[in-house]
């Protein structure tokens, strides 16, 4: 029989420990300490309690936990001395049926890894979906992680141990994340569509109005219909819009909650950026439809056609059109193949004349909420599945050039150089320490090049970019002022001049307090701590912020939260929590809105 939380909460310590035996390999001290936090409100609460025991444990205890795990396809497997849990996991990954070549490769990786780090390689081989990684995925991950810094690899090993424990708890409690699995599967199926030149390499790239992009729109449309949406359309800019009507006789007829995110991707990107914010509310609507339930308000889920600005320089085109920010000049932009946006839209069968009609009346909406993968390492490092966004950072970008004097690298003394590259490098170091002073500001010189540079020439010119962001506009502006002042001082002290052109300015988008609090109540109801954090990246929510209240929920990413990268990932369990949190917000709104 599956375990229940009531059993864990009411059992004596010895009995509860026995129930949780095997969750953490040969380490009963974790469950023993976590049980002091009973009663647990939810399974997620129990998971977090145990993860925090490990997180606050001395380094020696953490290393002991790692070393308690067997090698993959190692001596313990050969000797058939694995625990039942490890035997099941390694078997499901096919590690008990390696070819001689695969076995030899894994043995060599085990030896190299142990020599570098001094502990066994730990990987949750049942993977982010829980159904198992294949042997090649395991070998590739093994080889990639050999290059990690030792301190980072300790943390990565512990994170994988927590994932192993999460899956084992799921088995013990028979608590399969069914909706999380469905959301996961939608992502996998949508990722089958990719642009030419990338699809052949197994890479995901979906740019505006390509064949792959239009195929994604059609597939999302079909899924929305299957989920029970009352109206589904692809609008004049390619947004996929699904509307689930409010209950008949609602006292606020026509009022809708807007939600969604984008389905385009960067080149060779990840599967979850944007798309998670479409599929989580889709799952919620499907459950309402299956239950025959209507709410006092409608739900409008939008798959925004373009947010990344990859094919054309028209970032946030999809959400911008909804607030009247479609620039007709974009229609004459050409992509790398010489195709104008106008031609691409006409080829896709979109009605350009209807774009102006897409502008929404904010009086018809309760607000906008967006679920998004975090795209950063914070939640991952804190062992937290969800984060409540307090603000989307405001940002300013510049492109510039430092101009010094090119000279001979061998004959120009160090104190007589006017080295443009060194001057920009000094600015980069200043930005690093100045942004860190704020705690949540960030600054980046992402482009740095020496035109016509040579190995034996002191750089006379250095082209560079500046990207400066902060959670509020005053904080951003103070950062910008200090950086530009420092730029001027560096140039003057080094006898140089510079050019600088502002290329982008975006206002910060603080979350509406009432909506942020709804997310907080939803997360708390799941039994996990409420963690508040700013968003360093831009999102569709920052466009809708201009006409209606908005707030976002972040979902933890795996692989140190990497995004815009094929390694971008999250788990079926975290997706399930996102669906549960979204459903809780819907419930809160239903209780607040008269029927």
């Amino acid at each position: 029989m599956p375990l229940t939380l009531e059993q864990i909460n009411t059992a004596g310590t010895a009995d509860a420990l026995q129930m949780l035996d095997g969750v953490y390999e040969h380490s009963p001290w974790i469950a023993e300490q976590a049980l002091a936090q009973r009663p647990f409100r939810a399974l997620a609460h129990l998971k977090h309690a145990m993860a925090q025991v490990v997180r606050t444990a001395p380094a020696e205890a953490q290393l002991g936990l790692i070393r308690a795990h067997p090698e993959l396809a190692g001596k313990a497997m050969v000797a058939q001395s694995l625990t039942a849990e490890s035997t099941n996991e390694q078997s499901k990954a096919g590690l008990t049926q390696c070819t001689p070549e695969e076995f030899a490769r894994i043995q060599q990786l085990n030896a190299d890894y142990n020599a570098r780090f001094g502990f066994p390689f730990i990987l949750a081989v049942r993977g982010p979906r829980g159904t198992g990684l294949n042997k090649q995925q395991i070998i590739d991950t093994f080889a990639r992680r050999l290059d990690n810094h030792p301190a980072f690899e300790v943390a990565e090993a512990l994170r994988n141990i927590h994932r192993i424990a999460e899956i084992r708890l799921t088995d013990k409690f028979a608590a399969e994340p069914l909706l999380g699995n469905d959301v996961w599967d939608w992502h996998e199926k949508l990722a089958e569509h990719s642009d030419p030149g990338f699809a052949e390499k197994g890479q995901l790239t979906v740019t505006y109005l390509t064949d792959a992009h239009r195929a994604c729109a059609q597939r999302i449309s079909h899924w929305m219909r299957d989920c029970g949406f009352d109206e589904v359309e692809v609008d004049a800019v390619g947004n996929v819009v699904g509307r689930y009507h409010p209950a008949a006789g609602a006292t606020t007829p026509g009022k809708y909650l807007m939600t969604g995110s984008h389905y385009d991707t960067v080149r060779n990107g990840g599967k979850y950026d944007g798309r998670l914010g479409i599929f989580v509310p889709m799952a919620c609507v499907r459950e309402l439809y299956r239950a025959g339930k209507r709410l006092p308000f409608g739900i409008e889920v939008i798959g925004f056609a373009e947010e990344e600005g990859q094919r054309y320089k028209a970032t946030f085109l999809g959400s911008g059109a909804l607030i009247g920010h479609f620039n007709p000049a974009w229609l004459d932009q050409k992509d790398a193949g010489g195709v104008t946006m106008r031609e691409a839209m006409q080829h896709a069968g979109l009605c350009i004349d209807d774009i102006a009609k897409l502008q929404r009346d904010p009086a018809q909406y309760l607000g906008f909420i967006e679920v998004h993968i975090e795209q950063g390492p914070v939640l991952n490092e804190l062992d937290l599945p969800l984060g409540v966004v307090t603000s989307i950072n405001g940002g300013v970008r510049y492109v510039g050039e430092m101009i010094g004097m090119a000279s001979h690298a061998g004959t120009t003394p160090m104190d007589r150089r006017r080295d443009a590259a060194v001057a920009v490098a000094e600015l980069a170091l200043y930005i690093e320490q100045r942004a860190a002073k704020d705690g949540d500001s960030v600054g980046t010189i992402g482009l740095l090049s020496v035109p016509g540079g040579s190995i034996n020439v002191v750089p006379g010119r250095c082209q560079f970019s500046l990207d400066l962001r902060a959670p509020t506009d005053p904080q951003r502006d103070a950062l910008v002022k200090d950086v530009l002042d420092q730029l001027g001082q560096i140039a003057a002290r080094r006898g140089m001049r510079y050019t600088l052109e502002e290329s982008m300015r975006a206002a910060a988008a603080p979350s509406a307090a009432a909506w942020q609090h709804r997310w907080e109540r939803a997360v708390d109801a799941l039994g996990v701590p409420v963690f508040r954090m700013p968003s360093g990246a831009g999102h569709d929510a920052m466009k809708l912020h201009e006409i209606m209240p908005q707030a976002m929920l972040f979902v933890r990413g795996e692989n140190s939260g990497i995004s815009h990268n094929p390694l971008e990932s999250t788990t079926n369990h975290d997706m399930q929590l996102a669906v549960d949190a979204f459903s809780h917000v819907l419930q809160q709104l239903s209780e607040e809105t008269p029927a």
Side-chain angles (χ1 to χ4, degrees), residues 48-70:
H48 178 72
M50 292 199 286
Q52 288 306 297
V53 168
V54 175
R55 178 179 175 78
T56 57
E60 299 80 12
Q62 293 177 345
L63 283 172
L65 170 62
I66 295 171
R67 290 176 177 139
H69 286 71

Side-chain angles (χ1 to χ4, degrees), residues 414-444:
M414 297 304 292
D415 61 354
R416 291 172 175 77
R417 297 183 176 211
R418 293 166 61 196
D419 188 326
V422 170
V424 177
E426 182 182 344
L427 180 66
L429 291 173
Y430 172 79
I431 291 172
E432 181 180 52
Q433 64 88 14
R434 170 58 185 83
K437 280 176 57 179
D438 290 341
D440 49 8
S441 293
V442 291
T444 307

Side-chain angles (χ1 to χ4, degrees), residues 431-593:
I431 291 172
E432 181 180 52
Q433 64 88 14
R434 170 58 185 83
K437 280 176 57 179
D438 290 341
D440 49 8
S441 293
V442 291
T444 307
I445 294 183
L447 300 174
L448 192 152
S449 64
V450 177
S454 178
I455 196 168
N456 61 348
V457 176
V458 175
R461 296 167 57 212
C462 183
Q463 297 169 343
F464 64 97
S465 63
L466 292 176
D467 184 315
L468 305 171
R469 310 187 193 197
T472 67
D473 290 342
Q475 185 174 321
R476 176 205 63 192
D477 294 343
L479 174 65
V480 169
K481 180 181 184 303
D482 288 350
V483 169
L484 297 190
D485 286 350
Q486 187 69 14
L487 172 62
Q489 293 172 29
I490 291 171
R493 175 165 36 81
R494 291 179 174 272
M496 302 185 193
R497 59 188 177 90
Y498 65 90
T499 63
L500 196 68
E501 178 184 353
E502 183 177 308
S503 60
M504 188 277 287
R505 179 175 291 264
S511 299
W515 289 93
Q516 179 181 322
H517 292 157
R518 291 186 183 102
W519 279 127
E520 291 170 356
R521 287 191 290 270
V523 172
D524 179 68
L526 300 177
V528 295
V530 174
F531 181 76
R532 302 168 184 85
M533 61 190 302
S535 170
H539 299 287
D540 290 299
M542 69 193 302
K543 299 301 292 184
L544 277 305
H545 174 83
E546 298 183 33
I547 65 168
M548 66 179 75
Q550 62 78 28
M552 294 184 66
L553 180 74
F554 276 168
V555 179
R556 167 175 53 189
E558 289 198 312
N559 299 315
S560 198
I562 194 168
S563 186
H564 286 185
N565 184 298
L567 292 175
E568 175 184 278
S569 185
T570 187
T571 69
N572 56 344
H573 287 85
D574 288 356
M575 289 178 174
Q576 178 74 48
L577 289 174
V579 173
D580 292 343
F582 198 103
S583 296
H584 195 278
V585 169
L586 294 180
Q587 182 61 35
Q588 291 179 60
L589 287 170
S590 297
E591 294 169 357
E592 297 167 14
T593 307

Side-chain angles (χ1 to χ4, degrees), residues 95-135:
L95 294 175
T96 54
Q97 287 128 9
C98 288
T99 65
E101 293 78 15
E102 289 168 338
F103 187 74
R105 173 65 170 146
I106 292 173
Q107 290 300 298
Q108 185 60 56
L109 287 168
N110 273 323
D112 293 344
Y113 188 94
N114 268 290
R116 174 162 168 72
F117 299 114
F119 50 79
F121 174 70
I122 309 297
L123 178 65
V125 293
R126 284 178 62 181
R129 172 63 164 78
T131 50
L133 301 173
N134 62 47
K135 285 178 283 188

